[in-house]
Amino acid sequence: MVSSPPPNEDGAKPAYGATTEWLRNEGAACDVVLSSRVRLARNLAAHRFVPQSDRTQRQQVVSLSQQAISEIGSCVWIDIHRTNDLEKQLFVERQLMSRQHARGKLAGGIGGPDEPRGLAVSLPDERVAIMVNEEDHLRIQCMRSGLALSEALAAADTLDDELEARLEFAFSPRFGYLTACPTNVGTGARFSVMLHLPGLKLLGDIDKVKRAAEDMSLAVRGFYGEGSKAIGDFYQVSNQTTLGKTEQVLLQELERDIIPRVMDYERHARRTLFEKRKSTTQDRIMRSVGLAKYVQLISTEEAMEHLSMIRLGAAIGMLNGSSMQAVNKLFLLVQPGHLQHRAGHALTQHERRVERAAVLREYLRDVG
Amino acid sequence: MLCECGKNEATVRETVIINGKSIEKNLCEQCAQDLGLAPTTHHPALHELVKQFVHEPGVTEAQPLKAEEIACSTCSLTYTRFKQTGLLGCGLCYKSFEEQVGPLIERAHEGATHHVGKIPRSALERSRHGGPDRLEILLGTTEERLRRMGELRRQLDEAVEAEQFERAATLRDELHRLDQLKPGQVLPDEFSSTHGEE
Ligand SMILES: [Zn+2]
Ligand SMILES: [Zn+2]
């Protein structure tokens, strides 16, 4: 099937509302694990990699990929080089693509905003997102709510087969799937799990997790991936190596070995906070609730900090059930791109702070 | 200056708002973390890791050839350029710079030198009709395949030793799968693509 029109043309705009797969808050272990993601890096055989391609070559890769993706169906195609900044920011905030893809710039200053590149997204669930011409020709992403890496891998694997039936991928017996950056060769598979760890943060035990993860050569990053801060106490744990282990082994190291340990640490921390430091914890949570209900001006980072406390309160049963839903929506709605999307036009930083406070007050009216 | 706890040197200065008044606090790392005020540490992007490897003396200098002057014959990327960006130019760069990039890859992937895991399914299916040569392009020489299976066996032994039975089972399946992929042999049905388009 040919994909439906891109959301940046004509009036058929997808809603891009307050929910997306990774914020559904469903699935296994969702009190601690927000989402599971698998990303496969693939390149077309007999085509130069993105960093060494000129415009014409990049356009060729875009056309071939767009054709293959449209034959498979289920995804909407977006020409990122023709998309305005606001919309690009929206895609980044919804974790459908990287900041790097929004900018179009690669390591070493290669490329620019006008370089031909695309994004294919499955709507309305947003479970699949394929970046075309980011650092590699294809970055196939499958996302699931909660702890569900196996499910995400199965989906990515099937999609990879469907694409490979139509496109020949660069592959060598020794190095496996060939990628622009040698750190991604082999399986080309990056598994990551997004964790909410406010308990460990409050107890000052986050470094324990970081050390445990790093001992197993797993990377710990913030909310928006590489180099980003752990805003709102969200941490992303993922595999560093991609060569020499099968996809299944890489997955198991994360899902069976490290994540259950971290979940135990976090749940234990939450119990400690609730049982041994109850009044202090209650005070922190209720201060955040109070602030969110009456605040008039607020930055993204501060909003995320308080939302994290409110989510903790909901998770340990200190706050009513509707709080969790409201908070999960707000993690997206307080982001700059989403505020401007809601307003329908660009906002200054000050205007965003005003709007953000208004959104918090509106959504958290009934929380307590 | 000592932290409020009186135990450690204060290294974090933070302004906190208490009852509407802003108060400047001088805290130690531990107390700052207790209050959720400690700055988070960043991790180097993967490119940075590659760059660190490339720029480490001994990695490039140990090469007998003047690696900087080498260029890929297919995409004309020079090794100098690769050192700047950490990115290769085409699939054949892996051959052109094998001598230089091989050790980097080994270090970036904890000593791994060969791929194990997924092999493109449609390509595998197509090579069934193309004879042993086509299959060798995907699977490598007999020597390479034996090496890969040896690596899997080593991982399997490790998993059994550590009583990681689930992992051991996964590895055993993979070994079995690879064992069936011998050039010149008809592939078992499980390898045929279920999405045949031809
Ligand atoms: Zn102290
Ligand atoms: Zn090349």
Side-chain angles (χ1 to χ4, degrees):
Chain A
M1 297 303 100
V2 172
S3 50
S4 36
N8 51 324
E9 284 169 26
D10 69 49
K13 252 178 209 279
Y16 293 119
T19 48
T20 181
E21 179 65 19
W22 54 278
L23 286 172
R24 273 199 301 127
N25 210 66
E26 285 170 21
C30 68
D31 59 325
V32 180
V33 182
L34 211 65
S35 65
S36 304
R37 184 177 77 180
V38 176
R39 197 186 264 177
L40 303 176
R42 300 290 186 255
N43 286 281
L44 308 192
H47 287 263
R48 287 183 177 196
F49 293 160
V50 181
Q52 192 72 352
S53 297
D54 61 29
R55 233 184 131 69
T56 317
Q57 289 161 332
R58 287 185 203 216
Q59 187 53 56
Q60 255 168 7
V61 169
V62 164
S63 305
L64 289 167
S65 308
Q66 188 178 359
Q67 176 64 30
I69 291 166
S70 74
E71 277 172 28
I72 297 166
S74 76
C75 281
V76 166
W77 177 270
I78 300 137
D79 278 332
I80 293 301
H81 52 295
R82 299 207 177 96
T83 302
N84 68 44
D85 288 348
L86 216 57
E87 211 129 25
K88 280 189 274 194
Q89 196 173 357
L90 207 65
F91 298 143
V92 172
E93 288 172 5
R94 299 180 83 77
Q95 304 196 345
L96 299 171
M97 68 183 203
S98 62
R99 284 187 198 287
Q100 181 171 303
H101 202 45
R103 285 194 301 267
K105 270 227 187 295
L106 302 176
I110 302 165
D114 301 327
E115 293 297 343
R117 63 197 190 284
L119 175 71
V121 182
S122 68
L123 289 178
D125 60 40
E126 299 177 28
R127 282 178 157 193
V128 174
I130 308 169
M131 287 191 280
V132 175
N133 278 351
E134 199 233 30
E135 185 180 286
D136 292 300
H137 292 152
L138 298 167
R139 287 274 175 99
I140 304 162
Q141 164 178 301
C142 289
M143 187 89 93
R144 287 291 180 276
S145 187
L147 187 59
L149 279 175
S150 300
E151 230 188 282
L153 175 62
D157 192 43
T158 305
L159 185 53
D160 177 44
D161 288 346
E162 287 177 333
L163 288 166
E164 197 253 327
R166 295 165 173 86
L167 303 163
E168 198 187 333
F169 290 156
F171 183 89
S172 98
R174 178 172 173 192
F175 295 123
Y177 291 94
L178 303 176
T179 51
C181 182
T183 53
N184 298 321
V185 280
T187 56
R190 195 76 59 192
F191 297 89
S192 47
V193 172
M194 178 87 77
L195 302 157
H196 187 220
L197 307 175
L200 287 168
K201 179 74 180 298
L202 283 179
L203 288 182
D205 279 342
I206 275 294
D207 280 348
K208 247 192 229 167
V209 176
K210 287 189 178 168
R211 253 172 279 147
E214 276 153 22
D215 281 350
M216 300 201 52
S217 79
L218 299 167
V220 183
R221 304 197 181 87
F223 203 42
Y224 287 111
E226 261 174 40
S228 68
K229 285 210 288 180
I231 182 170
D233 307 325
F234 286 107
Y235 295 84
Q236 203 169 280
V237 181
S238 53
N239 59 305
Q240 293 259 46
T241 66
T242 50
L243 182 74
K245 289 172 185 165
T246 68
E247 289 81 356
Q248 284 299 331
V249 167
L250 289 169
L251 183 151
Q252 283 172 8
E253 284 183 348
L254 200 59
E255 189 162 276
R256 311 275 151 80
D257 299 346
I258 185 84
I259 299 302
R261 256 168 74 199
V262 175
M263 275 165 39
D264 279 351
Y265 288 162
E266 172 63 21
R267 285 174 180 160
H268 183 258
R270 289 180 189 183
R271 270 198 305 277
T272 305
L273 287 169
F274 199 48
E275 285 160 13
K276 303 208 175 96
R277 293 165 68 166
K278 190 169 178 181
S279 53
T280 316
T281 307
Q282 216 158 9
D283 180 64
R284 291 222 34 171
I285 293 168
M286 295 317 286
R287 272 169 194 270
S288 289
V289 171
L291 181 134
K293 282 185 170 186
Y294 295 101
V295 70
Q296 297 295 316
L297 279 176
I298 192 165
S299 71
T300 313
E301 205 158 328
E302 197 190 350
M304 293 291 281
E305 212 174 283
H306 293 295
L307 287 172
S308 172
M309 282 302 110
I310 298 171
R311 190 179 192 273
L312 172 66
I316 62 180
M318 208 176 260
L319 300 174
N320 62 34
S322 63
S323 319
M324 189 62 112
Q325 273 184 317
V327 165
N328 284 325
K329 284 181 183 165
L330 284 166
F331 284 128
L332 267 188
L333 290 176
V334 300
Q335 303 298 326
H338 277 75
L339 285 174
Q340 297 176 86
H341 181 73
R342 203 172 114 102
H345 55 87
L347 301 168
T348 64
Q349 190 188 55
H350 183 79
E351 288 168 338
R352 288 201 299 274
R353 289 180 175 198
V354 172
E355 279 300 308
R356 189 176 292 116
V359 170
L360 282 181
R361 295 197 307 270
E362 182 189 328
Y363 276 79
L364 295 175
R365 205 173 28 210
D366 303 325
V367 162
Chain B
M1 184 185 286
L2 271 183
C3 167
E4 295 178 353
C5 67
K7 283 183 281 189
N8 308 311
E9 188 68 25
T11 54
V12 182
R13 180 186 283 185
E14 269 286 352
T15 310
V16 289
I17 312 234
I18 293 171
N19 296 330
K21 280 188 212 142
S22 59
I23 297 167
E24 190 159 14
K25 283 182 173 273
N26 292 288
L27 303 163
C28 70
E29 207 78 350
Q30 186 59 45
C31 290
Q33 273 177 2
D34 284 346
L35 290 167
L37 297 174
T40 47
T41 45
H42 289 228
H43 286 273
L46 290 169
H47 293 300
E48 296 307 313
L49 278 175
V50 172
K51 277 191 218 157
Q52 282 166 24
F53 292 147
V54 186
H55 287 139
E56 232 170 86
V59 172
T60 49
E61 259 122 69
Q63 299 299 333
L65 286 167
K66 277 190 184 166
E68 283 75 8
E69 287 163 13
I70 303 171
C72 173
S73 57
T74 309
C75 74
S76 72
L77 180 84
T78 61
Y79 189 68
T80 311
R81 184 69 182 139
F82 166 68
K83 287 206 305 188
Q84 287 161 0
T85 63
L87 299 172
L88 293 168
C90 74
L92 287 160
C93 281
Y94 281 92
K95 271 259 170 285
S96 309
F97 304 121
E98 191 161 6
E99 227 177 293
Q100 291 77 31
V101 175
L104 301 183
I105 290 177
E106 203 174 321
R107 294 180 62 182
H109 298 274
E110 301 188 296
T113 54
H114 281 71
H115 170 61
V116 289
K118 188 167 183 177
I119 296 162
R121 287 200 180 103
S122 295
L124 206 54
E125 168 71 7
R126 282 194 295 272
S127 63
R128 285 174 72 171
H129 312 293
D133 288 354
R134 288 283 317 252
L135 208 52
E136 203 169 289
I137 293 171
L138 274 182
L139 302 179
T141 59
T142 311
E143 194 197 341
E144 277 184 299
R145 275 181 311 107
L146 288 176
R147 188 162 174 181
R148 201 174 327 161
M149 290 177 66
E151 170 59 23
L152 278 173
R153 256 182 226 111
R154 195 189 57 74
Q155 288 183 19
L156 174 59
D157 290 345
E158 259 179 31
V160 171
E161 186 89 6
E163 300 189 12
Q164 297 170 326
F165 299 118
E166 206 159 0
R167 180 175 177 151
T170 306
L171 290 164
R172 217 171 273 124
D173 289 349
E174 182 70 13
L175 259 173
H176 179 69
R177 206 175 73 95
L178 268 185
D179 195 36
Q180 291 182 296
L181 292 171
K182 292 191 182 93
Q185 256 186 6
V186 176
L187 295 170
D189 279 346
E190 59 177 299
F191 290 98
S192 60
S193 168
T194 49
H195 322 280
E197 83 296 357
E198 286 154 331

